[in-house]
Amino acid sequence: MGKTVKIAVSIPKELLKEAEKERKKGGESRSAFVQRAIRVSLKQSKKDKAISSYTEGYQSKPESKEEIDEARRIAEFVLVEEPWE
């Protein structure tokens, strides 16, 4: 990881209380806890954007009846070969 910087943030007292309790349980420093929280938030945001983009793309160009029929035909062909016992 690159250079670190110090920041000051204001958060509600109750949120800090919950965060302190959680980080102490995990044995994390406050800095490590905040860094992890930011990473998790950024990762979730990226995931949400990808899902939104996929949904918009699918809605603008949904599968045709022919594509659905072909996918079903292939699935039936593949699944019949599976050992279901």
Side-chain angles (χ1 to χ4, degrees):
M1 179 128 345
K3 183 179 177 184
T4 61
V5 295
K6 288 190 177 210
I7 62 169
V9 296
S10 299
I11 61 173
K13 197 176 213 176
E14 281 302 310
L15 182 59
L16 177 61
K17 190 176 175 180
E18 285 182 59
E20 286 293 293
K21 186 177 176 182
E22 195 64 28
R23 78 161 185 90
K24 286 178 182 177
K25 264 198 285 189
E28 267 182 312
S29 69
R30 193 176 287 152
S31 292
F33 183 83
V34 171
Q35 288 175 38
R36 184 170 55 82
I38 291 170
R39 282 189 192 96
V40 167
S41 178
L42 292 172
K43 184 177 181 180
Q44 184 63 48
S45 179
K46 195 177 208 180
K47 181 179 176 182
D48 291 346
K49 286 176 186 171
I51 290 170
S52 178
S53 177
Y54 170 80
T55 302
E56 288 171 17
Y58 182 79
Q59 288 174 339
S60 70
K61 190 172 187 323
E63 295 145 324
S64 67
K65 180 178 178 343
E66 292 78 21
E67 289 171 319
I68 293 170
D69 290 344
E70 183 64 9
R72 182 172 288 124
R73 187 189 68 72
I74 292 169
E76 289 170 356
F77 177 77
V78 171
L79 293 175
V80 79
E81 299 297 322
E82 285 293 315
W84 295 100
E85 296 173 10

